[in-house]
Amino acid sequence: MKSYIVGIYPRSPKLIEATRVNDPKLSELFKVEKAKYMKIIKSKLTYVSDPMLEWNDMFRPFMNVKGISLGALNRFFETNTFYRKLVISDELKGYGNVIANNINIVKNKSAVSIADPYTFAELNENLYYKSYDEYLLTISKMLNKEAKKLAEEGVVLIQLNAPAIAYNAERLDNDKLALIKEAIENVKRRVSAKVYLHLYFGNITKIFSKLLDIRIDGLSIDLINNRGDDIMEYSMKGKGLTLGMIDAMNTRIEDLKIVKSIEKIIEKMNPSEAYLSTNTDLEFLPYEFALKKINRLAEIAKRVKYE
Amino acid sequence: MSENKFVTQEIGSIRKPKWLLTILRSEEIDAIEKERARDDLAYLNTRILEDLGLDIVYDGEARRVEMYEYPIRNIEGFKFAGLVRSWDNKYYKKARCIDEVKYKTDYHLDEFKFVKRIAKNQLKIPVTGPYTLADWSYNEYYDSKEEFIIALAKNVIKPLLDDLVKNGANIIQLDEPAATTHPVEMNIFKEAINECIKDINAKITMHICYSGNEYRVLMPYLNEIKVRQYALEFANRDSWELGVNDDVRKGYSILKEFKEHGFDGEIGLGVVDVHIDEVEPPELVRDRLLYASKFIDASKIYVNPDCGLRTRSREIAFEKIKSIVKGVELARNELK
């Protein structure tokens, strides 16, 4: 079974210490540690990902976009990790290379995560755009330009991380869902890479049929906290499915027995293609455990009978 | 205590001075000398807080590494997993619960006995609560988070509180910064707190901070959780303009809701921000207190920083405390 893990990976203790003391060789160390990770990922998983070690949170490189400045610390959903809110106080300009300039891409082998437009809009602050719709759709256009550039550079799979959709799933009405659909489809427009929407930090059962209607390549689902029993009743309607079944929020290492559950879900939901992944970014684990999870994910993916 | 209106108190930690860190990191200095150095800092912090005029004091957590790591080191059933990001380049050591949690040692007792011996003022000892200890750890042992939290409450925190009370503690502050981060778990939180303070013959206060939702999820539980005081952060959300109206005191407007929910306990009012170096002028502290007293009786308002002051240099921390004491004096005069 194919596999990948995108998003921010944890820094090694050596790198953490170097950032703490502001080591003069810090930028060199970042490169070395990144190369180490990428070598491991390349040998274990189907797609290669940049571990985003320099990224302090999923939005930070966007602080260099014209119209955006860095705001206050905020809790990232219900985790004990904080991010800095971006403040949009002018028309957004000068984007398109933000992500591509901040990651290493392996041509035709790379997978990358970026925030979905709704999560981007919800977690940051708009002081400029007159309406929420205008704000959200502008962000979707910015992310579309980013996605196009990534695809041109050779990224084959772009995962839109959408914790805000899952977290608010119970409260999203049809109008809001329609707007979110439009924004996500904007991001995918004329992007040659596959675009998957990754849903975690909430139960998406109630909105799952609507999510299947979004014209993108696939959905990625946290199946640790979202047990998936109800979702399994749905067919994937020709879409791909990423199963987030390796828990990046807990150090407990998965039993190999989950192979059977994975096969069962794939059989029931009948996706056009399937991947195994983690339920969230690995950054919620310490370095040593992230390595263990990568190994276990690779081991499980190898055992699943699915082509 | 100088007056029964606006009693002043600290919340917990004060930054450790470089001289202590140098001693603690030295391989040439033995354990006895290191313990003496910790004694010196505990003594110094307690005295400084008293001399600055705080009514209720402690030792600035002089002996503790950190509010999570220190207790975890002393509770059976945990093993440290490694460093996890808190934000940017800040990390904390996160532990795995891999076995049944047990109270193996009264891990705050020695420090408490020391401070009790040297302090002139009333003491309030901070203790990290069961919910935060569980929430900040990986649970590999218990079948559910609820079971994990309740085990910590019953088997670890309750015996610790019992031991502290037996040794003379009469005000205990439960630190629960994680309290309101998971709204769906508020019932478990309530149950855990009530379980660990059941039959404890002391005044129990609770400190919660940076919950992200201005304590709204706490409101329905305010009176059900059997603590006498909630010491909370407010100042970081407030403006620096002087005045006692809603427009300028927006950081404190949530107090109206405490009143609407029939809360009749005490509030520990955070009046200085612990995340900025600028020192709030006493007049600003005064106005924050006068505004708060519109909703909570002044005799039930305790005055403190938003959180522990270890985020600031010692100099700035003490300047902020001076401002608190002076601001209280101004507010008391206004209400005379």
Side-chain angles (χ1 to χ4, degrees):
Chain A
M1 180 181 191
K2 289 192 275 189
S3 58
Y4 67 87
I5 305 172
V6 288
I8 300 175
Y9 284 54
R11 293 172 182 168
S12 68
K14 192 176 170 186
L15 191 51
I16 291 169
E17 180 59 15
T19 57
R20 196 181 69 81
V21 298
N22 206 11
D23 192 314
K25 290 182 181 159
L26 187 58
S27 62
E28 188 52 38
L29 191 57
F30 266 120
K31 279 183 200 155
V32 171
E33 297 273 319
K34 183 185 280 204
K36 260 196 221 168
Y37 254 135
M38 289 183 75
K39 194 175 168 194
I40 294 169
I41 297 165
K42 215 170 175 178
S43 69
K44 304 271 179 191
L45 310 177
T46 312
Y47 292 145
V48 187
S49 305
D50 182 293
M52 296 176 156
L53 296 177
E54 286 111 327
W55 292 48
N56 284 328
D57 57 57
M58 71 195 292
F59 308 114
R60 191 65 58 87
F62 286 91
M63 66 181 272
N64 296 318
V65 170
K66 195 168 173 288
I68 293 182
S69 58
L70 204 56
L73 275 181
N74 277 267
R75 189 181 290 278
F76 189 65
F77 294 92
E78 295 183 10
T79 70
N80 197 26
T81 300
F82 293 76
Y83 72 101
R84 280 201 187 276
K85 196 176 258 198
L86 301 177
V87 182
I88 291 110
S89 51
D90 205 344
E91 189 183 354
L92 297 180
K93 279 182 187 167
Y95 49 77
N97 281 318
V98 175
I99 299 169
N101 280 347
N102 279 284
I103 57 166
N104 286 0
I105 295 170
V106 180
K107 212 159 178 58
N108 301 325
K109 280 289 280 181
S110 277
V112 176
S113 72
I114 59 179
D116 94 283
Y118 176 69
T119 298
F120 199 114
E122 286 293 305
L123 268 62
N124 297 299
E125 191 175 2
N126 168 37
L127 300 177
Y128 177 76
Y129 293 98
K130 298 266 184 310
S131 69
Y132 183 81
D133 292 21
E134 187 191 1
Y135 169 52
L136 178 63
L137 295 175
T138 306
I139 285 169
S140 73
K141 282 172 195 156
M142 173 176 80
L143 296 177
N144 172 247
K145 210 168 168 189
E146 294 289 330
K148 271 185 196 159
K149 179 68 182 171
L150 290 171
E152 280 164 28
E153 295 287 321
V155 170
V156 288
L157 188 144
I158 298 169
Q159 178 174 289
L160 301 178
N161 280 355
I165 296 179
Y167 192 76
N168 294 324
E170 302 282 325
R171 298 177 284 276
L172 293 172
D173 61 25
N174 285 342
D175 288 348
K176 189 52 95 43
L177 281 167
L179 182 67
I180 292 171
K181 178 175 185 285
E182 185 184 346
I184 292 168
E185 287 174 352
N186 276 349
V187 180
K188 167 67 187 170
R189 191 158 294 140
R190 289 193 282 280
V191 171
S192 54
K194 290 173 190 169
V195 173
Y196 273 55
L197 187 69
H198 179 45
L199 300 138
Y200 59 107
F201 287 166
N203 189 331
I204 52 167
T205 309
K206 199 176 153 191
I207 60 168
F208 196 68
S209 64
K210 300 269 184 198
L211 295 171
L212 283 171
D213 291 338
I214 302 175
R215 281 171 293 186
I216 47 171
D217 301 281
L219 299 178
S220 164
I221 305 166
D222 167 7
L223 287 164
I224 305 288
N225 299 307
N226 202 355
R227 296 300 305 156
D229 299 343
D230 295 329
I231 290 168
M232 272 168 59
E233 299 308 314
Y234 289 90
S235 152
M236 288 302 292
K237 289 189 186 172
K239 277 191 165 54
L241 175 66
T242 297
L243 295 95
M245 288 191 71
I246 303 297
D247 195 350
M249 304 292 285
N250 198 318
T251 41
R252 187 188 283 139
I253 301 299
E254 283 70 13
D255 197 304
L256 293 171
K257 285 179 193 156
I258 68 165
V259 167
K260 289 277 166 243
S261 315
I262 293 168
E263 288 171 347
K264 191 177 153 203
I265 293 170
I266 296 173
E267 192 192 337
K268 282 207 86 171
M269 297 184 79
N270 191 28
S272 60
E273 59 173 356
Y275 298 95
L276 184 64
S277 191
T278 50
N279 59 340
T280 69
D281 288 12
L282 282 169
E283 75 159 335
F284 300 107
L285 290 169
Y287 179 73
E288 294 298 332
F289 283 87
L291 294 179
K292 286 182 189 177
K293 292 277 180 173
I294 297 169
N295 283 333
R296 183 45 61 108
L297 189 149
E299 208 177 342
I300 291 170
K302 207 183 277 179
R303 289 173 186 233
V304 174
K305 291 190 187 96
Y306 175 77
E307 285 309 319
Chain B
M1 233 168 276
S2 46
E3 270 201 50
N4 69 353
K5 280 191 188 85
F6 303 134
V7 173
T8 54
Q9 58 184 4
E10 46 74 60
I11 287 293
S13 58
I14 293 171
R15 190 176 291 183
K16 292 179 179 63
K18 277 193 183 136
W19 59 261
L20 181 74
L21 298 176
T22 308
I23 291 171
L24 295 180
R25 284 172 189 155
S26 167
E27 286 174 11
E28 277 123 47
I29 298 173
D30 65 26
I32 295 170
E33 281 306 309
K34 286 180 179 174
E35 197 49 32
R36 280 189 188 138
R38 288 193 188 96
D39 284 352
D40 287 347
L41 182 64
Y43 183 87
L44 191 66
N45 282 346
T46 311
R47 275 286 170 275
I48 290 172
L49 295 174
E50 287 175 335
D51 290 348
L52 288 174
L54 288 187
D55 298 310
I56 302 173
V57 298
Y58 202 59
D59 71 349
E61 300 183 13
R63 293 166 206 279
R64 306 185 191 181
V65 191
E66 189 256 354
M67 65 167 293
Y68 167 78
E69 189 181 332
Y70 182 83
I72 292 291
R73 278 183 189 184
N74 292 289
I75 301 171
E76 213 171 294
F78 285 100
K79 192 172 181 183
F80 282 105
L83 296 166
V84 176
R85 175 182 272 152
S86 187
W87 74 89
D88 292 4
N89 296 333
K90 303 280 183 201
Y91 284 75
Y92 74 101
K93 220 184 230 186
K94 187 163 174 169
R96 304 152 60 206
C97 175
I98 52 169
D99 205 343
E100 190 181 356
V101 293
K102 284 181 191 156
Y103 179 59
K104 68 176 173 192
T105 168
D106 40 12
Y107 51 87
H108 289 322
L109 200 54
D110 287 346
E111 68 165 44
F112 175 74
K113 284 179 176 171
F114 179 88
V115 187
K116 188 166 176 267
R117 190 158 50 81
I118 58 149
K120 297 173 193 161
N121 291 7
Q122 195 159 9
L123 297 181
K124 169 168 67 69
I125 175 170
V127 172
T128 307
Y131 185 83
T132 296
L133 290 175
D135 190 58
W136 290 3
S137 304
Y138 301 111
N139 170 27
E140 294 189 32
Y141 179 77
Y142 291 95
D143 289 339
S144 69
K145 187 172 174 186
E146 180 172 5
E147 203 185 315
F148 181 26
I149 296 165
I150 298 298
L152 275 165
K154 271 188 185 173
N155 306 339
V156 179
I157 303 301
K158 184 162 174 48
L160 173 68
L161 301 188
D162 273 333
D163 279 345
L164 288 170
V165 172
K166 270 182 218 154
N167 283 278
N170 46 31
I171 310 178
I172 300 171
Q173 170 183 290
L174 287 175
D175 287 333
E176 285 284 12
T180 55
T181 43
H182 307 285
V184 297
E185 293 175 6
M186 284 307 292
N187 258 322
I188 305 174
F189 173 67
K190 178 190 77 177
E191 196 188 328
I193 297 302
N194 288 344
E195 186 63 47
C196 72
I197 65 176
K198 193 162 62 183
D199 303 325
I200 297 288
N201 187 22
K203 174 177 175 176
I204 306 291
T205 72
M206 185 183 295
H207 171 56
I208 304 176
C209 54
Y210 309 106
S211 66
N213 52 40
E214 294 185 87
Y215 314 114
R216 284 206 167 78
V217 299
L218 182 65
M219 295 296 164
Y221 300 90
L222 283 171
N223 293 317
E224 289 181 36
I225 298 170
K226 302 298 175 194
V227 296
R228 288 257 297 277
Q229 180 188 114
Y230 292 97
L232 308 170
E233 43 84 19
F234 298 92
N236 68 97
R237 285 178 265 118
D238 197 41
S239 85
W240 276 50
E241 275 181 68
L242 295 182
V244 293
N245 60 51
D246 290 344
D247 290 343
V248 291
R249 294 286 72 86
K250 56 188 176 188
Y252 297 82
S253 57
I254 190 80
L255 287 170
K256 288 177 195 168
E257 292 183 37
F258 280 77
K259 196 178 174 184
E260 284 159 16
H261 278 83
F263 176 65
D264 64 353
E266 298 167 358
I267 288 286
L269 199 75
V271 292
V272 297
D273 187 350
V274 301
H275 286 125
I276 53 169
D277 279 344
E278 290 76 17
V279 178
E280 290 79 354
E283 293 76 13
L284 180 60
V285 172
R286 174 199 64 199
D287 287 356
R288 288 173 173 171
L289 292 172
L290 294 176
Y291 178 81
S293 67
K294 292 181 186 179
F295 313 106
I296 310 277
D297 189 277
S299 65
K300 289 185 173 176
I301 296 176
Y302 285 62
V303 192
N304 43 256
D306 267 358
C307 189
L309 275 160
R310 78 169 187 152
T311 51
R312 309 271 51 87
S313 70
R314 291 175 67 80
E315 293 74 12
I316 288 171
F318 297 143
E319 285 304 313
K320 287 195 179 241
I321 289 172
K322 272 188 208 168
S323 194
I324 290 177
V325 173
K326 183 74 185 156
V328 162
E329 199 183 308
L330 296 175
R332 283 174 182 161
N333 285 339
E334 286 282 332
L335 291 185
K336 261 180 191 166

